[in-house]
Amino acid sequence: MKLRDSPSACPSLWRSLPCPPAELRLDLVLSSGQTFRWWESSPGAWTGVLGGRVWTLRQDPDRLWYTVYGEEEDGRPAEAAKPDGAETDQILRDYFQLDVGLPALYCAWGAADPLFRKVADDFPGVRVLRQDPVECLLSFICTSNNHISRITAMIERLCQAFGRRLCRLDARPFHAFPSLSALAGADAEARLRALGFGYRAKFVSGSARAIVEGLGAEGLRRLRAAPYAEARRVLCALPGVGAKVADCVCLMALDKAEAVPVDTHVWRIARQRYGAVLGGRSLTPRAHQEIGHLLRRPPQGPGASRQPGSGVGGPRPGQLWGRAPLGTPQEGQSPRISGWGGITAPAPSLGCAGVWAAACPPPTVCLREAAALGSEAGGGNQGCVQPPPGQSRAEPSSVGLLPLLQAIK
């Protein structure tokens, strides 16, 4: 099948959603290291796999355009497929969290943090994805001591070896992300080692097996409704999942806006740019916890620095967010979203942790720290799980902006 790189190619097979660049910039978001399944198939066009389908996306000044390709049957080439409008529109809205109005959040974050205010205008439309929990978890297990281009190649080999073939576009095959059962097989670890996964092979196959034998894929998805601390604890019990990867998955796939993925880059940023005073010279578990608490609290007053446990922080007049100790619901806050992501006043239902994933904008900008951070953390959500009636997800937090603030210089 031939790749369709613009709506002018078979217009009847394209649909669009209203979505200006201030709400979404495909070039910044899809290359940020949140996800590893998209590539720029032609200038301005992005092709990848989402929800077991192959898509091409592109933008104009007012709209997000997309086309979906049919799946092969018994090895026969796929036929052109006209998108089912209501279903595919909703998939993209969920994936990009388009129910969250980003410009208003940019304004609020800019008012709260002068570092963000200085760079935000140059990087509009950076938002966190909402990804499938299984794909997000197994992908980020592969990010340990790695970088984005290598992770992308590894995930591609993983999908080709274990995933269902979806279609071929201009001689390039596309595969679905593998099922848990495929990666939990007896020979999976050996096959992954042969594919160049090294020590990560044991963790990918081991975590897949643990989920199959334990809570299952649906149980992993149900962690979206669990408190952040509980979801994090469950994830950290899986092979190869430490605090950072667990926080990445919580943020990017489990609706935990209060999660703060911390690595050495964030550790250095917290010290150098936010005035954190931390004991020791390395990223210890205690430092990880302190930095997380620190970055959940916006500074209070001109020139205020953030000190772990110092009490510096809390809402300013007019801010959209407040903070409370973990596990302490605030007024108007859903009990299942207790703690740092809570809000002190009524607000729209928001499922985004901000623009955490400004991790790897175009190569014209030097973003080594951000790209390294983005290779192991992002933000996210995919799927169509909505909060119970009368409840809302956690308010986006200012921590979502850290890479954008600190790595763009």
Side-chain angles (χ1 to χ4, degrees):
M1 190 188 318
K2 187 172 179 56
L3 181 73
R4 301 188 287 270
D5 60 1
S6 76
S8 61
C10 303
S12 64
L13 300 180
W14 286 78
R15 284 182 59 85
S16 67
L17 299 170
C19 186
E23 293 286 1
L24 172 66
R25 279 276 300 273
L26 291 176
D27 57 330
L28 299 182
V29 173
L30 296 181
S31 65
S32 67
Q34 295 185 68
T35 176
F36 308 100
R37 304 302 314 276
W38 297 90
W39 64 294
E40 193 171 15
S41 47
S42 65
W46 293 83
T47 299
V49 180
L50 168 61
R53 308 185 196 192
V54 182
W55 308 62
T56 294
L57 314 177
R58 71 178 307 126
Q59 289 181 279
D60 64 22
D62 300 305
R63 305 191 74 81
L64 170 63
W65 290 86
Y66 70 87
T67 186
V68 183
Y69 301 90
E71 186 173 343
E72 292 182 353
E73 295 184 8
D74 300 323
R76 296 192 302 271
E79 297 181 0
K82 187 172 183 178
D84 179 347
E87 179 190 9
T88 51
D89 283 3
Q90 188 58 43
I91 289 172
L92 286 185
R93 288 184 184 279
D94 288 337
Y95 186 61
F96 289 112
Q97 303 198 85
L98 296 179
D99 58 324
V100 178
L102 202 55
L105 294 177
Y106 265 51
C107 289
W109 288 322
D113 195 325
L115 292 171
F116 174 73
R117 189 165 60 247
K118 288 171 62 176
V119 299
D121 287 347
D122 294 328
F123 294 89
V126 181
R127 58 173 61 234
V128 171
L129 302 174
R130 188 172 195 245
Q131 301 182 58
D132 173 74
V134 169
E135 179 172 344
C136 183
L137 169 64
L138 298 178
S139 294
F140 279 92
I141 288 175
C142 299
T143 63
S144 176
N145 298 313
N146 220 336
H147 55 82
I148 291 176
S149 60
R150 186 163 180 258
I151 298 163
T152 301
M154 290 173 65
I155 299 302
E156 180 66 17
R157 295 196 298 273
L158 177 80
C159 295
Q160 288 181 1
F162 293 90
R164 182 180 83 257
R165 182 157 139 174
L166 299 174
C167 68
R168 181 184 292 269
L169 300 179
D170 293 346
R172 175 170 178 155
F174 288 82
H175 295 76
F177 195 84
S179 66
L180 284 169
S181 58
L183 293 172
D187 64 342
E189 180 181 342
R191 292 174 64 191
L192 288 167
R193 287 187 181 275
L195 291 171
F197 278 64
Y199 67 88
R200 305 172 191 88
K202 176 175 64 175
F203 298 143
V204 172
S205 61
S207 283
R209 190 175 306 112
I211 296 170
V212 168
E213 296 173 354
L215 73 168
E218 189 54 39
L220 184 64
R221 185 180 293 273
R222 283 198 296 268
L223 290 177
R224 287 175 170 171
Y228 164 54
E230 172 65 11
R232 194 172 186 267
R233 182 191 65 77
V234 171
L235 292 172
C236 285
L238 295 171
V241 179
K244 180 178 61 174
V245 170
D247 277 331
C248 293
V249 178
C250 282
L251 181 62
M252 290 188 272
L254 297 180
D255 296 346
K256 305 297 181 268
E258 61 269 49
V260 182
V262 179
D263 66 0
T264 55
H265 302 278
V266 174
W267 176 74
R268 183 166 61 249
I269 286 166
R271 290 165 59 104
Q272 294 177 353
R273 296 297 184 127
Y274 282 99
V277 178
L278 303 167
R281 297 185 177 181
S282 62
L283 182 53
T284 63
R286 179 175 178 178
H288 189 122
Q289 183 180 39
E290 288 183 340
I291 292 169
H293 291 345
L294 171 77
L295 296 176
R296 292 179 184 107
R297 301 177 68 86
Q300 190 173 46
S305 63
R306 306 177 186 224
Q307 309 297 334
S310 68
V312 174
R316 295 179 184 177
Q319 276 185 249
L320 293 179
W321 54 81
R323 298 290 177 264
L326 187 61
T328 306
Q330 294 176 265
E331 182 180 355
Q333 180 185 356
S334 160
R336 78 176 184 86
I337 307 177
S338 61
W340 297 101
I343 55 176
T344 55
S349 175
L350 299 174
C352 173
V355 291
W356 185 94
C360 189
T364 53
V365 181
C366 180
L367 292 175
R368 293 181 183 177
E369 289 186 355
L373 172 61
S375 71
E376 302 199 31
N381 302 317
Q382 180 207 341
C384 195
V385 177
Q386 298 298 325
Q391 295 184 2
S392 63
R393 297 179 191 149
E395 178 80 16
S397 71
S398 57
V399 70
L401 302 162
L402 185 65
L404 181 62
L405 297 176
Q406 299 302 332
I408 301 168
K409 300 177 181 179

